[in-house]
Short mmCIF file of all heavy atoms in Angstrom, two decimals:
data_model
loop_
_atom_site.label_atom_id
_atom_site.label_comp_id
_atom_site.label_asym_id
_atom_site.label_seq_id
_atom_site.Cartn_x
_atom_site.Cartn_y
_atom_site.Cartn_z
N LYS P 1 24.17 33.42 69.44
CA LYS P 1 24.96 32.23 69.77
C LYS P 1 24.26 30.96 69.31
O LYS P 1 24.89 30.03 68.83
CB LYS P 1 25.22 32.16 71.28
CG LYS P 1 26.23 33.17 71.76
CD LYS P 1 26.41 33.08 73.26
CE LYS P 1 27.30 34.19 73.76
NZ LYS P 1 27.40 34.21 75.23
N PHE P 2 22.94 30.91 69.43
CA PHE P 2 22.17 29.76 68.99
C PHE P 2 22.37 29.51 67.49
O PHE P 2 22.42 28.38 67.04
CB PHE P 2 20.68 29.98 69.30
CG PHE P 2 19.79 28.86 68.86
CD1 PHE P 2 19.67 27.71 69.63
CD2 PHE P 2 19.08 28.94 67.67
CE1 PHE P 2 18.84 26.66 69.22
CE2 PHE P 2 18.25 27.91 67.26
CZ PHE P 2 18.13 26.76 68.03
N PHE P 3 22.49 30.58 66.74
CA PHE P 3 22.69 30.47 65.29
C PHE P 3 24.16 30.41 64.90
O PHE P 3 24.50 30.65 63.76
CB PHE P 3 21.99 31.63 64.57
CG PHE P 3 20.51 31.41 64.42
CD1 PHE P 3 19.63 31.84 65.39
CD2 PHE P 3 20.00 30.74 63.32
CE1 PHE P 3 18.27 31.63 65.26
CE2 PHE P 3 18.64 30.53 63.17
CZ PHE P 3 17.77 30.97 64.16
N GLY P 4 25.00 30.08 65.83
CA GLY P 4 26.41 29.86 65.51
C GLY P 4 27.35 30.93 66.02
O GLY P 4 28.54 30.70 66.12
N GLY P 5 26.84 32.10 66.32
CA GLY P 5 27.66 33.15 66.91
C GLY P 5 28.70 33.76 65.98
O GLY P 5 29.43 34.65 66.38
N ASP P 6 28.77 33.30 64.75
CA ASP P 6 29.78 33.83 63.84
C ASP P 6 29.23 35.05 63.10
O ASP P 6 28.12 35.51 63.36
CB ASP P 6 30.23 32.76 62.85
CG ASP P 6 29.07 32.16 62.06
OD1 ASP P 6 27.92 32.58 62.27
OD2 ASP P 6 29.31 31.28 61.23
N ARG P 7 30.01 35.54 62.18
CA ARG P 7 29.60 36.75 61.44
C ARG P 7 28.34 36.53 60.63
O ARG P 7 27.61 37.47 60.34
CB ARG P 7 30.74 37.19 60.53
CG ARG P 7 31.99 37.52 61.31
CD ARG P 7 33.08 38.03 60.42
NE ARG P 7 32.90 39.47 60.32
CZ ARG P 7 33.35 40.20 59.33
NH1 ARG P 7 34.00 39.63 58.33
NH2 ARG P 7 33.16 41.51 59.32
N GLY P 8 28.05 35.31 60.25
CA GLY P 8 26.87 35.04 59.45
C GLY P 8 25.61 34.77 60.24
O GLY P 8 24.55 34.53 59.67
N ALA P 9 25.70 34.82 61.56
CA ALA P 9 24.54 34.49 62.40
C ALA P 9 23.37 35.45 62.15
O ALA P 9 22.23 35.01 62.05
CB ALA P 9 24.93 34.50 63.88
N GLN P 10 23.66 36.75 62.03
CA GLN P 10 22.57 37.69 61.79
C GLN P 10 21.89 37.42 60.46
O GLN P 10 20.67 37.52 60.35
CB GLN P 10 23.10 39.13 61.85
CG GLN P 10 23.45 39.57 63.24
CD GLN P 10 23.93 41.01 63.28
OE1 GLN P 10 24.30 41.59 62.28
NE2 GLN P 10 23.92 41.59 64.47
N ALA P 11 22.67 37.05 59.45
CA ALA P 11 22.08 36.73 58.14
C ALA P 11 21.21 35.48 58.24
O ALA P 11 20.14 35.41 57.63
CB ALA P 11 23.18 36.54 57.11
N LYS P 12 21.66 34.49 59.01
CA LYS P 12 20.87 33.27 59.19
C LYS P 12 19.55 33.59 59.87
O LYS P 12 18.49 33.09 59.48
CB LYS P 12 21.65 32.25 60.02
CG LYS P 12 22.85 31.67 59.33
CD LYS P 12 23.62 30.77 60.29
CE LYS P 12 24.96 30.36 59.73
NZ LYS P 12 25.76 29.61 60.71
N ILE P 13 19.62 34.41 60.91
CA ILE P 13 18.40 34.81 61.63
C ILE P 13 17.45 35.54 60.69
O ILE P 13 16.25 35.26 60.65
CB ILE P 13 18.75 35.68 62.85
CG1 ILE P 13 19.57 34.88 63.87
CG2 ILE P 13 17.50 36.26 63.50
CD1 ILE P 13 20.26 35.73 64.92
N ALA P 14 18.00 36.48 59.93
CA ALA P 14 17.18 37.26 58.99
C ALA P 14 16.50 36.35 57.97
O ALA P 14 15.32 36.53 57.67
CB ALA P 14 18.05 38.30 58.30
N ARG P 15 17.24 35.38 57.45
CA ARG P 15 16.64 34.44 56.47
C ARG P 15 15.49 33.66 57.10
O ARG P 15 14.44 33.48 56.50
CB ARG P 15 17.70 33.48 55.94
CG ARG P 15 18.47 34.01 54.77
CD ARG P 15 19.27 32.92 54.07
NE ARG P 15 20.22 32.24 54.94
CZ ARG P 15 21.45 32.66 55.22
NH1 ARG P 15 21.89 33.78 54.68
NH2 ARG P 15 22.24 31.97 56.02
N GLU P 16 15.71 33.18 58.31
CA GLU P 16 14.66 32.40 58.99
C GLU P 16 13.42 33.23 59.26
O GLU P 16 12.30 32.72 59.19
CB GLU P 16 15.19 31.81 60.30
CG GLU P 16 16.22 30.72 60.11
CD GLU P 16 15.68 29.48 59.40
OE1 GLU P 16 14.45 29.23 59.43
OE2 GLU P 16 16.49 28.76 58.80
N LEU P 17 13.61 34.50 59.58
CA LEU P 17 12.47 35.37 59.89
C LEU P 17 11.93 36.09 58.66
O LEU P 17 10.93 36.79 58.75
CB LEU P 17 12.88 36.41 60.94
CG LEU P 17 13.23 35.86 62.32
CD1 LEU P 17 13.72 36.98 63.23
CD2 LEU P 17 12.03 35.17 62.94
N GLN P 18 12.63 35.92 57.54
CA GLN P 18 12.26 36.60 56.29
C GLN P 18 12.21 38.11 56.46
O GLN P 18 11.26 38.78 56.05
CB GLN P 18 10.95 36.04 55.73
CG GLN P 18 11.05 34.57 55.40
CD GLN P 18 9.75 33.99 54.88
OE1 GLN P 18 8.68 34.59 54.99
NE2 GLN P 18 9.83 32.81 54.30
N ILE P 19 13.25 38.63 57.12
CA ILE P 19 13.42 40.07 57.30
C ILE P 19 14.83 40.41 56.83
O ILE P 19 15.64 39.54 56.55
CB ILE P 19 13.20 40.52 58.76
CG1 ILE P 19 14.19 39.85 59.71
CG2 ILE P 19 11.77 40.23 59.20
CD1 ILE P 19 14.09 40.33 61.16
N SER P 20 15.14 41.69 56.79
CA SER P 20 16.46 42.10 56.32
C SER P 20 17.51 41.90 57.41
O SER P 20 17.21 41.96 58.61
CB SER P 20 16.45 43.57 55.89
OG SER P 20 16.32 44.40 57.02
N THR P 21 18.73 41.68 56.97
CA THR P 21 19.84 41.56 57.92
C THR P 21 20.01 42.88 58.68
O THR P 21 20.36 42.89 59.86
CB THR P 21 21.14 41.20 57.17
OG1 THR P 21 20.91 39.99 56.43
CG2 THR P 21 22.29 40.96 58.12
N ALA P 22 19.73 43.98 58.00
CA ALA P 22 19.84 45.29 58.65
C ALA P 22 18.87 45.40 59.83
O ALA P 22 19.20 46.00 60.86
CB ALA P 22 19.56 46.41 57.64
N ALA P 23 17.70 44.80 59.69
CA ALA P 23 16.73 44.83 60.80
C ALA P 23 17.27 44.06 62.00
O ALA P 23 17.14 44.51 63.14
CB ALA P 23 15.40 44.24 60.35
N VAL P 24 17.88 42.91 61.74
CA VAL P 24 18.45 42.12 62.83
C VAL P 24 19.62 42.87 63.46
O VAL P 24 19.79 42.86 64.68
CB VAL P 24 18.90 40.72 62.33
CG1 VAL P 24 19.58 39.93 63.44
CG2 VAL P 24 17.70 39.95 61.80
N ALA P 25 20.40 43.55 62.64
CA ALA P 25 21.56 44.30 63.14
C ALA P 25 21.14 45.43 64.08
O ALA P 25 21.93 45.86 64.92
CB ALA P 25 22.36 44.86 61.97
N LYS P 26 19.91 45.90 63.96
CA LYS P 26 19.41 46.98 64.83
C LYS P 26 18.97 46.48 66.20
O LYS P 26 18.72 47.28 67.10
CB LYS P 26 18.26 47.72 64.16
CG LYS P 26 18.69 48.53 62.96
CD LYS P 26 17.51 49.24 62.33
CE LYS P 26 17.93 50.01 61.10
NZ LYS P 26 16.79 50.65 60.46
N TRP P 27 18.84 45.16 66.37
CA TRP P 27 18.47 44.64 67.67
C TRP P 27 19.55 45.02 68.68
O TRP P 27 20.74 44.93 68.37
CB TRP P 27 18.34 43.12 67.65
CG TRP P 27 17.22 42.57 66.82
CD1 TRP P 27 16.25 43.25 66.15
CD2 TRP P 27 16.97 41.19 66.57
NE1 TRP P 27 15.42 42.39 65.51
CE2 TRP P 27 15.83 41.11 65.75
CE3 TRP P 27 17.59 40.01 66.96
CZ2 TRP P 27 15.30 39.91 65.32
CZ3 TRP P 27 17.07 38.81 66.54
CH2 TRP P 27 15.94 38.75 65.73
N PRO P 28 19.15 45.43 69.88
CA PRO P 28 20.17 45.79 70.88
C PRO P 28 20.98 44.56 71.29
O PRO P 28 20.43 43.53 71.64
CB PRO P 28 19.35 46.32 72.05
CG PRO P 28 17.98 45.75 71.86
CD PRO P 28 17.81 45.54 70.39
N LYS P 29 22.30 44.67 71.20
CA LYS P 29 23.17 43.52 71.48
C LYS P 29 22.98 42.99 72.90
O LYS P 29 22.97 41.80 73.14
CB LYS P 29 24.65 43.90 71.29
CG LYS P 29 25.00 44.19 69.87
CD LYS P 29 25.07 42.92 69.07
CE LYS P 29 25.52 43.20 67.66
NZ LYS P 29 24.60 42.80 66.65
N ASP P 30 22.85 43.89 73.87
CA ASP P 30 22.70 43.46 75.26
C ASP P 30 21.25 43.55 75.73
O ASP P 30 20.96 43.45 76.91
CB ASP P 30 23.61 44.27 76.17
CG ASP P 30 23.33 45.77 76.09
OD1 ASP P 30 22.60 46.20 75.18
OD2 ASP P 30 23.83 46.51 76.94
N GLY P 31 20.34 43.71 74.76
CA GLY P 31 18.93 43.82 75.10
C GLY P 31 18.14 42.62 74.64
O GLY P 31 18.70 41.58 74.27
N ASP P 32 16.84 42.77 74.66
CA ASP P 32 15.95 41.67 74.30
C ASP P 32 15.60 41.70 72.82
O ASP P 32 15.54 42.76 72.20
CB ASP P 32 14.65 41.76 75.11
CG ASP P 32 14.88 41.53 76.59
OD1 ASP P 32 15.78 40.75 76.93
OD2 ASP P 32 14.16 42.13 77.40
N VAL P 33 15.36 40.52 72.28
CA VAL P 33 14.89 40.38 70.90
C VAL P 33 13.47 40.96 70.86
O VAL P 33 12.67 40.70 71.77
CB VAL P 33 14.87 38.89 70.48
CG1 VAL P 33 14.23 38.71 69.12
CG2 VAL P 33 16.28 38.31 70.50
N PRO P 34 13.14 41.75 69.84
CA PRO P 34 11.78 42.28 69.73
C PRO P 34 10.73 41.16 69.78
O PRO P 34 10.95 40.07 69.23
CB PRO P 34 11.78 42.98 68.37
CG PRO P 34 13.21 43.31 68.12
CD PRO P 34 14.00 42.20 68.74
N GLY P 35 9.63 41.44 70.43
CA GLY P 35 8.60 40.44 70.68
C GLY P 35 8.09 39.67 69.48
O GLY P 35 7.98 38.45 69.51
N SER P 36 7.79 40.37 68.38
CA SER P 36 7.24 39.67 67.21
C SER P 36 8.28 38.74 66.61
O SER P 36 7.96 37.63 66.18
CB SER P 36 6.76 40.68 66.16
OG SER P 36 7.84 41.51 65.75
N SER P 37 9.53 39.16 66.59
CA SER P 37 10.60 38.30 66.06
C SER P 37 10.83 37.11 66.98
O SER P 37 11.04 35.99 66.52
CB SER P 37 11.90 39.09 65.90
OG SER P 37 11.76 40.09 64.92
N LEU P 38 10.77 37.37 68.27
CA LEU P 38 10.99 36.29 69.24
C LEU P 38 9.90 35.23 69.12
O LEU P 38 10.18 34.03 69.12
CB LEU P 38 11.04 36.85 70.65
CG LEU P 38 11.43 35.87 71.75
CD1 LEU P 38 12.81 35.27 71.48
CD2 LEU P 38 11.41 36.55 73.09
#
């Protein structure tokens, strides 16, 4: 939601963290962001 909540939010997060969008997509939707990424 912080990154806009739209379909491109995961891509924005991935770009900022310099990781793949697929890695962000694996984060549990109702769970916590992994510690190193957080």
Side-chain angles (χ1 to χ4, degrees):
K1 287 178 186 175
F2 179 81
F3 280 90
D6 57 0
R7 299 183 88 203
Q10 288 182 342
K12 291 175 190 174
I13 296 165
R15 274 193 302 275
E16 290 297 336
L17 294 176
Q18 298 178 346
I19 61 175
S20 70
T21 304
V24 176
K26 291 180 183 178
W27 293 356
K29 293 286 184 239
D30 58 348
D32 293 328
V33 173
S36 59
S37 295
L38 187 59

